[in-house]
Amino acid sequence: MPVYTFPQDLLDLQAALVEVQKEHDLFAQILSWSAEPMPGWKADKQLHSDHEPEKPDSPGYTPEQAERLAAYRARILDLTTQVITHPYWTTLSGPDRVEARTALKHVHDTAGPAA
């Protein structure tokens, strides 16, 4: 894969997007399984398995949790929009643009210098 020289503002946007996605995912893990209050349930045993699926009662999200989740989603949408509409992408076309986008997604995976 070729080495791409991304503008610093695009690298910063991608880093911010990765960070907000991580924060969102960690927050989502502590939320109840349902946004609205719902009774729990237990399903029949699954074929070829001893697993019996079940969920406890869900109190739903508090207004603060719902607001925080919406804020994360809005920030992710905003950052994603800024990344995919960045002027840098007009300097590439076809497969090069796809490869560069993939490279940008993984540029922060390594400890080495940014590509």
Side-chain angles (χ1 to χ4, degrees):
M1 182 179 288
V3 175
Y4 297 95
T5 305
F6 298 111
Q8 189 59 50
D9 64 328
L10 182 56
L11 290 169
D12 293 344
L13 286 168
Q14 181 66 30
L17 176 58
V18 168
E19 185 60 31
V20 172
Q21 286 173 326
K22 284 181 187 177
E23 291 175 17
H24 168 272
D25 293 348
L26 287 173
F27 180 65
Q29 289 177 5
I30 66 169
L31 295 174
S32 179
W33 62 268
S34 173
E36 300 295 326
M38 297 284 290
W41 53 266
K42 185 172 183 175
D44 294 334
K45 181 178 125 7
Q46 300 295 300
L47 185 63
H48 307 297
S49 171
D50 291 330
H51 180 67
E52 294 181 17
E54 64 181 301
K55 291 280 186 192
D57 290 346
S58 171
Y61 299 168
T62 65
E64 294 80 17
Q65 289 172 325
E67 185 177 315
R68 185 171 169 191
L69 188 60
Y72 277 128
R73 290 177 176 166
R75 183 70 177 135
I76 289 169
L77 178 61
D78 178 55
L79 288 168
T80 301
T81 301
Q82 290 182 60
V83 168
I84 65 174
T85 61
H86 192 280
Y88 173 76
W89 303 118
T90 63
T91 67
L92 302 167
S93 63
D96 290 337
R97 188 179 296 166
V98 174
E99 285 183 16
R101 179 67 183 115
T102 300
L104 178 66
K105 287 181 181 181
H106 296 285
V107 76
H108 296 97
D109 291 351
T110 61

